[in-house]
Amino acid sequence: MKYLAAIGVILMIWLAGLLAFADRIEMMTPAVDPGRADGIVVLTGASDARINEALRLLAAGRGERLLVSGVNRQVQRGELREVTAGSNRLFDCCVDLGFEAEDTVGNAQEIAAWAAAKHYDSLIVVTSDYHMPRAMLEIRGLMRHVELIAFPVITPSLNADSWWRTGTGQRRMVVEYSKYLAVLLREAFARIVRPSPEPAADTGAEPSERNRDA
């Protein structure tokens, strides 16, 4: 009986978390004006809506450049440009394509490398509403000193305000919540076992003076 009671409590906690997660997704959209950042990144998905929203932000001057992360390696740059909105001039001058990422972990790695190469300190992150919490966790895990601004794109097929009414909505929400929990637990564990960097010894000299003495 004790085991059954424990399982029941765990299931109740899990269900409460799922409902809170779903409510969070519903409240995310419509997205507010994110302001301006150094760059914009978009994680590719099943539809072009994410990329079109990111291009709209780029055209509005919300970032200097745009990275489209996770592009299928079979897709040519010209093919992607033809199926997305926005001007060809803007696409040609200011859009970078990332072909390495195959999942959200790969997206985070690709985005971190791109931002570091560009020396960007702030990014607008564009992805689907239900995917945003996990994407932000993954990216933030690699870029703790970069400001991340979420710009979630609504997913019409999900119906975040009534996801429980369809099998597709239930499946997508439960799967995404489970993946989010796994990343959350992984990051929490990493913080526990990851040693904190030791502060540099204070020699009383300015950095430039220490370099000259070296």
Side-chain angles (χ1 to χ4, degrees):
M1 287 297 289
K2 290 182 179 179
Y3 293 113
L4 290 177
I7 292 173
V9 171
I10 292 172
L11 287 176
M12 289 180 63
I13 294 173
W14 183 88
L15 180 58
L18 172 63
L19 295 176
F21 180 80
D23 186 62
R24 177 182 177 185
I25 300 305
E26 181 185 353
M27 297 297 292
M28 278 185 174
T29 54
V32 299
D33 187 339
R36 196 183 189 286
D38 293 333
I40 304 168
V41 296
V42 56
L43 289 71
T44 56
S47 72
D48 298 326
R50 304 181 188 184
I51 300 177
N52 288 334
E53 283 297 310
L55 285 169
R56 185 181 64 79
L57 292 172
L58 181 65
R62 295 297 183 262
E64 182 179 295
R65 295 190 68 81
L66 165 65
L67 170 67
V68 183
S69 175
V71 179
N72 191 308
R73 295 183 183 183
Q74 304 302 318
V75 175
Q76 300 295 319
R77 185 180 181 90
E79 294 174 339
L80 183 62
R81 181 178 56 197
E82 288 176 3
V83 299
T84 54
S87 71
N88 290 342
R89 181 191 61 79
L90 186 66
F91 195 98
D92 290 338
C93 82
C94 305
V95 176
D96 300 316
L97 305 183
F99 295 94
E100 298 301 318
E102 297 181 354
D103 53 22
T104 308
V105 174
N107 288 137
Q109 295 169 345
E110 196 166 60
I111 289 168
W114 180 77
K118 300 294 183 184
H119 305 289
Y120 287 162
D121 295 319
S122 59
L123 296 174
I124 297 172
V125 179
V126 182
T127 190
S128 297
D129 48 4
Y130 71 92
H131 185 229
M132 184 61 76
R134 181 162 59 98
M136 293 292 279
L137 270 182
E138 293 285 13
I139 298 170
R140 188 173 288 115
L142 298 179
M143 308 176 67
R144 298 192 182 280
H145 302 296
V146 173
E147 180 186 5
L148 301 177
I149 306 166
F151 192 87
V153 178
I154 193 169
T155 308
S157 61
L158 176 63
N159 293 324
D161 60 342
S162 57
W163 57 273
W164 66 89
R165 294 182 178 177
T166 65
T168 300
Q170 293 172 14
R171 186 163 49 254
R172 177 171 288 177
M173 193 66 76
V174 168
V175 169
E176 188 59 34
Y177 173 61
S178 299
K179 290 180 177 180
Y180 172 77
L181 275 185
V183 177
L184 194 65
L185 292 173
R186 187 197 71 203
E187 288 299 305
F189 180 74
R191 291 193 191 96
I192 294 173
V193 301
R194 185 183 299 148
S196 301
E198 296 183 3
D202 186 1
T203 64
E206 294 297 325
S208 58
E209 294 175 348
R210 289 199 296 271
N211 289 339
R212 286 198 298 268
D213 293 340

